[in-house]
Amino acid sequence: TGVVTIASGALLKVSATGAVSNTSSISVTGSVEVDGTLTLNKFVGSGAVLIDGGTITKASAGLVDLSTSSSAFTITHGGTLRAQSPAAAVSFGFGTVTAGQTNTLVLSTFSTAYNGVISNFGAGDKIIINGSTATGTITANATGGDYTLTFGSTVLKHVTLAAGTSASDLQF
C-alpha cells in the first residue's frame, strides 16, 4: 500500500499473465515493462515505461494520476494506458501493432493544453478523451512537423505521426 520505488538500473516487469496492484504510487527512475496488468493510483519519477500488450490502469478502470511524473510511456502491441493530468514532461509514444491490435491512450479532459509530446501516432492507434463527446480536429503546426489535436476544450499540442501516416488517415 506504500510507494513502490523502482530505482535507476532496476526493472519492474509484469508478465503477460501477471497482475500487480498497489493502492498508492510507483516511483520510477529505472524502468517498467507491463505485459499484464498494473493497477495503481499515481506514477511519479522519470523512468521509461513500456506497455507491451498490457494495461496500466487505476482500480475500477479509473485513470492513473501522471501530474508529477516525467516518464516516457511507450504503448505497443495492443497496450493500454489509462491516464489523467499528464505533466508537460510526460511523453507518450505509440509502437507496433499487428492485425487485430489497437494501442490505446485514454486521457481525461482538461481545461488547458497538454504541451508534452505524443509520437508515432498511426494506423491501429487510439487516443480516447474520457468524458468528451466533441468531434476532434487535427491541425498541422507551422514548424516541427507535428500536429495539434483538439477535442472540445482538450488540446494535445504536439502529436507526431507514424511514418507513412497522414492527417487524412485519422478518424475522429
Side-chain angles (χ1 to χ4, degrees), residues 20 22 37-42 55-64 80-83:
V20 172
N22 182 357
T37 301
L38 176 58
T39 305
L40 68 152
N41 286 320
K42 189 172 190 173
T55 300
I56 295 180
T57 189
K58 191 171 180 176
S60 302
L63 304 178
V64 176
T80 299
L81 172 60
R82 299 179 53 79

Side-chain angles (χ1 to χ4, degrees), residues 35-127:
D35 301 335
T37 301
L38 176 58
T39 305
L40 68 152
N41 286 320
K42 189 172 190 173
F43 243 100
V44 298
S46 59
V49 181
L50 175 63
I51 306 162
D52 193 2
T55 300
I56 295 180
T57 189
K58 191 171 180 176
S60 302
L63 304 178
V64 176
D65 182 353
L66 301 181
S67 63
T68 57
S69 177
S70 59
S71 290
F73 292 86
T74 302
I75 307 165
T76 190
H77 297 112
T80 299
L81 172 60
R82 299 179 53 79
Q84 71 176 0
S85 308
V90 172
S91 64
F92 303 103
F94 288 91
T96 305
V97 290
T98 56
Q101 292 180 330
T102 302
N103 297 324
T104 305
L105 173 61
V106 180
L107 293 171
S108 60
T109 56
F110 36 92
S111 58
T112 58
Y114 168 66
N115 287 306
V117 174
I118 298 175
S119 62
N120 204 38
F121 185 61
D125 297 330
K126 284 185 182 179
I127 298 175

Side-chain angles (χ1 to χ4, degrees), residues 155-171:
V155 180
L156 309 176
K157 284 197 158 195
H158 301 287
V159 179
T160 63
L161 303 181
T165 302
S166 68
S168 62
D169 295 330
L170 303 177
Q171 248 181 290

